[in-house]
Amino acid sequence: MSAETPAADGQFTLRRQQFRAWRGTRPFWAGLFVLLSGLPIAYFPYANLQIGHLTLAMATTAGAGSLIIGVLLVVLGVSLWFQKHVRVFAGVAAILLALVSIPVSNLGGFLIGFFLALVGGAMAVAWAPGPPPAGQLAAHATTGTGEAPGAMDHDTTVLRPVDGAGQPNDLSGTNPANGANGRHSAG
């Protein structure tokens, strides 16, 4: 097969493109960093390192705290993937847990988990959803799903008359066109 001939769209190519589209709509890399940060933080306090015949136990008195921090970071990483609207909370929580892991769990998993959690948390806070693709906007507008009802404006900051007569439908008596400025309308 040469470089000019396109590859047949197989199952693998289709799944890869679907994963790429899914990954682009959420803070994927932030979630991955936060998830990976929990592993060394939870693992090192329970690990036994063998150097020849010497066993080095790195267990600390705060082993349970390390396990809780590690599990929370893994859960925050997964929640960044599947609940993208909690990205600011999850990012700030990951940064705070990274800072707490320094004194609790062997310098935050020997600084590996600490730095991964800091970078992932910062990426989660900084991530913002991009605009939907142009094709999706056109399809969304033609189907009518998710749109505002016909009588409502898309711009909700400005009230527009619905009756069509062009008259403002302000019944409060505080409309500047009525000569009232709202100072005498209370009670």
Side-chain angles (χ1 to χ4, degrees):
M1 185 158 90
S2 68
E4 289 84 23
T5 58
D9 286 336
Q11 189 71 11
F12 176 75
T13 305
L14 178 66
R15 295 291 181 209
R16 184 179 58 83
Q17 289 173 346
Q18 287 175 343
F19 174 71
R20 186 175 183 187
W22 175 81
R23 187 187 70 198
T25 60
R26 58 202 69 245
F28 176 79
W29 294 108
L32 184 67
F33 285 159
V34 171
L35 185 138
L36 291 177
S37 71
L39 300 178
I41 290 175
Y43 174 73
F44 285 137
Y46 293 102
N48 290 328
L49 182 63
Q50 295 283 347
I51 303 174
H53 294 290
L54 178 66
T55 301
L56 180 64
M58 292 182 268
T60 62
T61 58
S66 300
L67 184 64
I68 290 171
I69 291 172
V71 168
L72 283 175
L73 285 170
V74 169
V75 168
L76 286 172
V78 171
S79 70
L80 280 170
W81 284 348
F82 296 108
Q83 301 290 327
K84 61 185 176 184
H85 59 275
V86 298
R87 65 178 173 83
V88 175
F89 168 75
V92 171
I95 292 171
L96 291 175
L97 285 171
L99 292 172
V100 169
S101 74
I102 291 176
V104 171
S105 66
N106 295 332
L107 291 175
F110 295 118
L111 298 178
I112 298 168
F114 170 71
F115 283 125
L116 284 172
L118 266 173
V119 170
M123 288 172 66
V125 170
W127 183 83
Q136 187 179 7
L137 282 176
H140 196 61
T142 58
T143 59
T145 58
E147 295 290 327
M152 295 180 66
D153 261 345
H154 294 291
D155 184 13
T156 58
T157 59
V158 178
L159 295 176
R160 305 233 191 267
V162 181
D163 56 4
Q167 299 295 326
N169 55 359
D170 183 19
L171 302 176
S172 65
T174 60
N175 189 357
N178 300 349
N181 59 9
R183 292 184 187 168
H184 62 281
S185 62

